[in-house]
Amino acid sequence: MLGLFLYLYVMEKVVTNSNFSEILSSDQPVLVDFWATWCGPCRMLSPTVDEIAHEYEGRAVVAKCNVDDSDEIAMQYRIRNIPTLIFFKGGQQVDKLVGLVSKKEITDILDKLI
């Protein structure tokens, strides 16, 4: 089980105030999960985001941004509720989902961006 956790963890990028521009510069679509450790719905959505990171490896970048650790980014994108998923293509925001959403809602958007 720990091996699977580490395998999935490695595939997601952790967003910080200093590396966000680099992550957005990817040629692939980018999904950023804005979350916090104290957020119950965020913890419920996390396994779904982990699955998507695994399934879309090589086709999309999946990153997680802890709003408590990266408050500059959270303010820049006006994150008021979490979890918030923001989809980027070519470095530009193209879509957004707020709240506890289904895997299908997320993958439908990613599939359109690939």
Side-chain angles (χ1 to χ4, degrees):
M1 179 71 169
L2 179 59
L4 177 61
F5 171 77
L6 292 173
Y7 176 69
L8 291 174
Y9 181 76
V10 169
M11 295 185 335
E12 299 163 353
K13 296 187 180 293
V14 176
V15 172
T16 64
N17 289 325
S18 61
N19 74 354
F20 191 58
S21 295
E22 178 185 333
I23 290 171
L24 289 186
S25 70
S26 173
D27 293 337
Q28 299 173 340
V30 177
L31 164 61
V32 179
D33 175 14
F34 290 87
W35 68 286
T37 56
W38 47 263
C39 168
C42 298
R43 289 193 308 269
M44 292 170 59
L45 184 62
S46 185
T48 301
V49 174
D50 295 344
E51 281 181 41
I52 291 168
H54 174 68
E55 292 172 11
Y56 283 77
E57 183 179 19
R59 298 184 293 152
V61 174
V62 177
K64 291 191 173 193
C65 181
N66 184 321
V67 297
D68 293 329
D69 296 338
S70 301
D71 56 339
E72 291 174 24
I73 299 166
M75 286 189 297
Q76 178 182 352
Y77 286 92
R78 294 182 176 92
I79 303 300
R80 305 240 189 276
N81 300 301
I82 52 175
T84 293
L85 303 174
I86 299 184
F87 300 82
F88 296 88
K89 187 159 186 175
Q92 300 299 311
Q93 180 178 335
V94 293
D95 215 332
K96 179 165 129 176
L97 294 170
V98 179
L100 188 57
V101 295
S102 71
K103 182 178 178 181
K104 182 172 178 7
E105 289 175 274
I106 300 166
T107 59
D108 283 351
I109 293 171
L110 278 177
D111 290 341
K112 290 177 190 173
L113 298 176
I114 293 175

